[in-house]
Amino acid sequence: MNFDYNSTRPKLILAEYGRNVQNMVNYICDLPTKEERNKYAQVVIDMMGVLNPHLRDVADFKHKLWDHLQIISDFQIDVDSPYPTATPELVKHEPELLSYPQHNIKYKHYGFTVEKMINKAISIPDEAARQKMALSIANFMKMAYTTWNKDAVADEFIIQDLAELSSQVLQLPEGTVLTKLDFKSAPPGNRVKGNAPTQSNSNTNSGHSNNNHSRTNNNNNSNNRRPAGTNTFQKRSNTSGGSSNNNNRRPYQNNTNSSSYKRG
């Protein structure tokens, strides 16, 4: 029994379209007439657009689909394309190699930019402007030095390196005090002001206030309630009061006698 595995099948040229599209393109290549090839090629182009809808966002996506059709057929399909026919030279061109800079830097902790600035300062004809430029370069050299070495560095050491790199052209006077420049950006995430309350603290405070308010209401309600014994006493007093009222009432018979007496 022979099994058909993907490892034994021909390699997919463009795997995003699948093997069925590649089989259909191979079938179109074997058709005898060009009319049939054009007809079936248009159907395959429409199917390729459905399988990869993200190509619709690309400019001239139809042109890209026709180029992919040529690539899948290994540039062997003979159809009338509405666009210029893709060729292996245009599609499978080798990228140009980038030329990486190769500089012989004397002191790498200062960098190549410092050497370029020194050469620029040497070419300045004005002595005062050249000295200002040299002082700025020395300050930058001190910052670059402390970036790689956290220990303190003497200003005389930086001035000596500046004179050595400039072939003794840029020399600062003795006793020059260099400024330490620190270029540090704020770390991301610390954009919230310190005085602004956080959401959790506000929620906690509101929760405490709500609890205190509920406790106050409960205390007020408990104070307004009367004890159970008081209510019972009031009921009993009302009952006794009712009996006294009944005793004060005159009987029906007495009322009749009084009325009859008045008539007589």
Side-chain angles (χ1 to χ4, degrees):
M1 182 179 295
N2 295 326
F3 295 97
D4 188 13
Y5 295 103
N6 288 330
S7 58
T8 59
R9 296 176 181 177
K11 183 181 179 181
L12 288 176
I13 300 177
L14 293 179
E16 58 267 23
Y17 293 105
R19 187 168 298 277
N20 291 329
V21 173
Q22 182 164 332
N23 292 335
M24 286 188 286
V25 172
N26 294 334
Y27 174 78
I28 294 173
C29 294
D30 296 335
L31 292 176
T33 61
K34 197 169 188 177
E35 290 77 9
E36 292 180 346
R37 291 196 296 269
N38 292 333
K39 178 181 177 180
Y40 289 108
Q42 187 63 47
V43 175
V44 173
I45 287 293
D46 296 338
M47 184 179 296
M48 291 167 63
V50 173
L51 292 176
N52 290 298
H54 64 277
L55 292 178
R56 299 181 183 274
D57 299 334
V58 181
D60 298 334
F61 76 100
K62 283 286 186 180
H63 191 184
K64 183 173 284 293
L65 291 177
W66 281 97
D67 291 344
H68 288 177
L69 180 65
Q70 291 287 341
I71 295 172
I72 292 174
S73 66
D74 199 14
F75 305 97
Q76 299 299 323
I77 190 171
D78 185 12
V79 293
D80 294 332
S81 174
Y83 303 97
T85 304
T87 58
E89 291 77 13
L90 296 176
V91 175
K92 298 181 179 180
H93 62 279
E94 292 293 335
E96 296 181 359
L97 297 178
L98 296 176
S99 57
Y100 289 94
Q102 299 293 334
H103 301 296
N104 187 13
I105 304 174
K106 187 172 184 180
Y107 296 125
K108 294 186 178 180
H109 54 277
Y110 292 132
F112 183 71
T113 304
V114 171
E115 295 184 3
K116 292 177 64 177
M117 289 191 295
I118 290 174
N119 294 331
K120 181 67 176 178
I122 292 174
S123 62
I124 296 176
D126 189 6
E127 180 66 23
R130 186 166 61 247
Q131 286 297 110
K132 292 181 179 180
M133 185 75 175
L135 181 60
S136 299
I137 295 173
N139 290 327
F140 183 81
M141 291 172 62
K142 184 176 182 180
M143 183 204 67
Y145 187 92
T146 55
T147 301
W148 298 101
N149 189 358
K150 300 302 180 182
D151 297 335
V153 58
D155 295 342
E156 292 79 7
F157 182 79
I158 300 296
I159 296 173
Q160 182 180 354
D161 288 345
L162 177 62
E164 183 180 354
L165 292 174
S166 62
S167 300
Q168 307 300 325
V169 176
L170 301 178
Q171 293 186 1
L172 296 176
E174 296 182 359
T176 302
V177 178
L178 301 180
T179 304
K180 182 180 179 181
L181 302 177
D182 293 332
F183 295 97
K184 294 182 180 180
S185 59
N190 295 337
R191 299 178 182 177
V192 181
K193 295 182 179 180
N195 296 329
T198 59
Q199 184 177 3
S200 60
N201 292 332
S202 60
N203 293 333
T204 305
N205 294 330
S206 62
H208 287 305
S209 61
N210 292 331
N211 293 331
N212 295 329
H213 183 68
S214 61
R215 290 177 182 176
T216 305
N217 292 333
N218 293 331
N219 293 329
N220 294 331
N221 294 331
S222 62
N223 294 328
N224 293 329
R225 292 178 183 176
R226 295 179 179 178
T230 306
N231 294 333
T232 306
F233 177 75
Q234 289 178 355
K235 289 181 181 179
R236 292 178 179 177
S237 61
N238 291 333
T239 305
S240 61
S243 60
S244 61
N245 291 332
N246 292 333
N247 294 329
N248 293 329
R249 293 179 184 178
R250 293 180 179 181
Y252 180 73
Q253 184 177 2
N254 296 334
N255 292 334
T256 305
N257 295 332
S258 63
S259 60
S260 61
Y261 176 76
K262 290 180 180 180
R263 289 180 183 177

